[in-house]
Amino acid sequence: SVLTLKLDGISVTAPYVIDALINFQHTIEAPNQSSGGNQYNFNNWSDGGAQSHTIVVPIIGNIPRTTATKVRKRALGTLNR
């Protein structure tokens, strides 16, 4: 499944690598989304930030990583007439 992230409001395909200048600020977001018929919901960022939050590019590569949970589909049953 192809999942996307948002970097400064622009959708990018995950995983995504950016060349960024130290101390620059960027807004990162991991939106809830569906892909390949499955729903994926945001779990967390490795830095503990909110689903969408601003980061400052560090000197050493500790850029936050995110995880998502695949939502299980539930059978709704059938309707008898």
Side-chain angles (χ1 to χ4, degrees), residues 25-48:
Q25 292 186 359
H26 294 281
T27 300
I28 56 175
E29 180 182 357
N32 296 333
Q33 56 198 286
S34 57
S35 178
N38 296 304
Q39 176 67 32
Y40 294 87
N41 290 345
F42 170 77
N43 268 352
N44 66 307
W45 285 101
S46 60
D47 66 352

Side-chain angles (χ1 to χ4, degrees):
S1 295
V2 175
L3 298 177
T4 61
L5 301 170
K6 287 192 177 182
L7 176 67
D8 297 327
I10 299 170
S11 292
V12 295
T13 302
Y16 186 75
V17 176
I18 180 175
D19 288 327
L21 297 174
I22 295 170
N23 292 325
F24 269 52
Q25 292 186 359
H26 294 281
T27 300
I28 56 175
E29 180 182 357
N32 296 333
Q33 56 198 286
S34 57
S35 178
N38 296 304
Q39 176 67 32
Y40 294 87
N41 290 345
F42 170 77
N43 268 352
N44 66 307
W45 285 101
S46 60
D47 66 352
Q51 189 168 6
S52 175
H53 67 286
T54 300
I55 61 166
V56 176
V57 178
I59 293 172
I60 299 176
N62 288 328
I63 299 297
R65 297 177 184 267
T66 188
T67 60
T69 299
K70 181 177 168 181
V71 178
R72 292 185 180 184
K73 293 182 182 180
R74 295 183 182 159
L76 298 177
T78 59
L79 179 61
N80 295 323
R81 294 183 189 216

